[in-house]
Amino acid sequence: MKIVTVCGMGIGTSVLLKMNAEKALRALGVDADVEAADIGTARGAARTAQLVLTSEDLADEIGDVPAKVVVIQNFTNMDEITKKITDALQ
Amino acid sequence: MEWLVVVLDFLGQQILNVPAYLIGIITAVGLIALRRSAGQVIGGGLKAAIGFLILGAGAGVVVASLDPLGRLILAVTGAQGVIPTNEVITAIASEQYGAQSAYILVLGFIVMLLLARFTPLRYIFLTGHHMVFMSLLLTVVLSVGLGEELGWLVVILGAVLLGVIMVVMPAFAQPWMRKITGDDTIAIGHFGTLGYIAAGAAGQAVGRRSRSTEEINFPQGLRFLRDSTVATALSMVLIYLVFAIWGLIALPTAEALDIFGSENQGAYIMAAFGQALQFGVGVAIILFGVRTVLGELVPAFQGIAEKVVPGAKPALDIPIVFPFGANAVLIGFLASFLGGLVTLVLIAVWLNPAFGLALILPGMVPHFFTGGGAGVFGNATGGRIGAAVGGFVNGVLITILPAVLLLVFGELGFANSTFGDADFGWFGTAIGVSLLGGPVIGVIVCVLIGAALVVGASIFQKRVVDTGWVPGARRDALLAEGSGAETATTTPDRPAGGRTQGKSGARH
């Protein structure tokens, strides 16, 4: 399974989100590849992914993709990330 | 024992001296320390190494596209034109200084952990790309100042200075961060911090009764600039076309056409357009490389930091504040860009002839990210006027400081690019200037600068941050008085309106 985390440049906050998502996935015992992407390549990366994690304002810009787009309010809140990933995987 | 010498020599020269392999090994070691599986260690290490090689490939494309622009600007203005893009100058400089900067990166990270553990400055700097940029900046400035033969000294001094700057800047910005986010759990870890603090202070000075930017309904038309590929290509097309047309007017036609080797004016303009897009291509390649490296390196670093300094505040990249003032980001960006243009004119007519400062052309990406951040800081203390003035001040800083930095940059100053954000400018210049008096005095002054920063930041942390100083508290009181019941939604740290309401969750 592939998960894409998205921020404006793909090198700052999306890497943070990637790390926290990986931590959440390890805790959940789910095996997945998490990849950080910038908003420019996110749409392409999302084509082969199951899940896209991003902030509220960027979610609109990703638009219609086959992957499920999940809005994360707080990139550092492990409870929120874990819960939203769990919900999305069901 | 001769075989041992051969083996060590091989390791040193052929592996540890090659930045890409070194980065790969460091990542792998980090992942081993975190007890990841063998597959993750091999994959992560290899991916980091490949990412570094991608960086170099992108640098080639960027340099090729900057070369004709440099000649064009020199021909029409007689001054050196520079586009500050951290990714680009890093990719160019890493060819020569990559291995040393990788050692500085790792040792600097350790110095940061020690400082966070044993001083009041309990911050863990997690913005990986800025860590990489700063380690390279320090390598270049120290190598130019101390000379190539003192490589080991460059690494040690660079690591200390990197560790210091990574814990002091988040501390100095923390009162404003607390004001913006409404709590004390995250810090800012971004080397545009001088610009943000200046924006916060300027906002406080001018925006005494100005209301928050978040009460404005802003058009969404400028949002496409968040896409760095679009923003970069667009700004380069503008810059290239301005100078190409200027060249066509100011230079003899044959001389102008010769810059791109074009046959006629039409081909000349389209060649300029094509070169501008090529710059965007190069930056996209470099960013892909940076992403590949950081995606592996930062988790390895963070995992270790969490074990060594539990409970420290993570210092994060600037977009972390954007949700607290989406309109302030746009206002700050536009004001910063304007500040950059005004300062460019100032340099062209006065500072270049007088002091030989390079023309720093405004790049959309640094103005968007640091200008946007400055807008949020300015809004927090001075509302709409604060966001605009704060962004403008940031724009002035990120145009003047890179130009000054170029003066201490040695031969790399001819690469037509430099580091963009404010802290690279002032810190690099301070280190570069202190080395002017020779290696011995230089090292002493550098150590003193580092010590002064740690002591100063520690005092600031104890006296200002820990005592709960709130920047712009008087304005909050004035606004509370003026608008009565409305205040619950007008204080800048509480974004109003349905669109941003959900963001309040970010404070928990």
Side-chain angles (χ1 to χ4, degrees), chain B residues 3 21 23 29 60 81 89 116 161 191 206 384-385 391 417 465 467 471 494 504:
Chain B
W3 61 271
Y21 303 156
I23 293 283
V29 169
I89 189 68
L161 292 170
F191 289 131
V206 295
R384 298 168 192 188
I385 298 174
S417 187
V465 182
T467 53
R494 289 188 184 270
S504 59

Side-chain angles (χ1 to χ4, degrees), chain B residues 211-228:
Chain B
R211 306 250 301 271
S212 169
T213 53
E214 302 317 294
E215 292 168 50
I216 311 169
N217 278 328
F218 226 89
Q220 300 296 304
L222 286 164
R223 293 280 291 282
F224 69 97
L225 290 172
R226 287 205 104 176
D227 185 328
S228 66

Side-chain angles (χ1 to χ4, degrees), chain B residues 191-285:
Chain B
F191 289 131
T193 302
L194 180 68
Y196 309 140
I197 295 174
Q204 191 171 341
V206 295
R208 303 190 56 188
R209 278 182 171 278
S210 180
R211 306 250 301 271
S212 169
T213 53
E214 302 317 294
E215 292 168 50
I216 311 169
N217 278 328
F218 226 89
Q220 300 296 304
L222 286 164
R223 293 280 291 282
F224 69 97
L225 290 172
R226 287 205 104 176
D227 185 328
S228 66
T229 312
V230 174
T232 309
L234 192 67
S235 60
M236 280 309 284
V237 166
L238 288 175
I239 288 170
Y240 244 110
L241 288 185
V242 164
F243 283 102
I245 292 167
W246 186 353
L248 216 47
I249 297 166
L251 301 173
T253 309
E255 195 187 327
L257 296 187
D258 191 46
I259 289 174
F260 295 115
S262 311
E263 287 178 0
N264 55 45
Q265 279 89 337
Y268 165 88
I269 291 291
M270 284 319 285
F273 184 76
Q275 290 292 347
L277 293 189
Q278 280 298 317
F279 181 88
V281 171
V283 172
I285 297 174

